[in-house]
Amino acid sequence: MAPPQVPLSLSRADTFRDLVQDSVERLERHWPQLAEVEFHVLEVPEPRDDTVPLGSSAPATRDRHARVVVYRRPVELRAKGRDERALLVHEVVVEQVAELLGLAPESVDPRYGQD
């Protein structure tokens, strides 16, 4: 029975979306062009071969903005706790942004892979 502004009232999906948003906001300070990118959270990716991606990206087309997707369930299954989940979410966002920008992840965030 917590009020809405108290973190206890957030669902796991809401908390995960907040982690993605925090990561995006952190990157937008250095990469303002990310304001034109749509960031989404989906539960799971479409079934593929033997791999389960943690995220995906798609470049902009004439009809839509560039897009980054982070898959909540695969990320949650790989992270042991909140701190590890936050770190993994940020790494996935950095990797997908790097792919969109045609850069190495370390160029997008110099701290990538160091935590």
Side-chain angles (χ1 to χ4, degrees):
M1 298 282 210
Q5 66 273 20
V6 176
L8 291 176
S9 66
L10 294 177
S11 70
R12 289 173 60 184
D14 291 336
T15 302
F16 192 89
R17 270 190 222 83
D18 288 347
L19 290 175
V20 171
Q21 186 61 38
D22 290 345
S23 182
V24 170
E25 288 172 2
R26 192 165 125 191
L27 292 176
E28 281 180 334
R29 288 184 219 129
H30 301 287
W31 300 94
Q33 63 267 47
L34 294 180
E36 299 296 318
V37 176
E38 295 178 359
F39 289 87
H40 299 277
V41 173
L42 296 178
E43 290 297 307
V44 293
E46 292 292 322
R48 292 197 236 191
D49 44 18
D50 293 340
T51 62
V52 178
L54 301 179
S56 65
S57 62
T61 66
R62 190 172 2 149
D63 301 325
R64 70 179 163 95
H65 292 286
R67 179 178 180 160
V68 169
V69 178
V70 180
Y71 300 110
R72 184 173 75 86
R73 295 297 296 145
V75 170
E76 287 180 335
L77 290 171
R78 285 175 179 76
K80 292 183 173 73
R82 178 171 166 70
D83 291 341
E84 190 173 318
R85 186 169 40 252
L87 178 62
L88 185 54
V89 164
H90 185 67
E91 287 184 352
V92 171
V93 171
V94 167
E95 289 167 359
Q96 299 309 315
V97 166
E99 176 129 348
L100 280 177
L101 298 177
L103 300 170
E106 297 81 10
S107 297
V108 172
D109 183 352
R111 297 185 318 190
Y112 173 81
Q114 294 180 5
D115 294 323

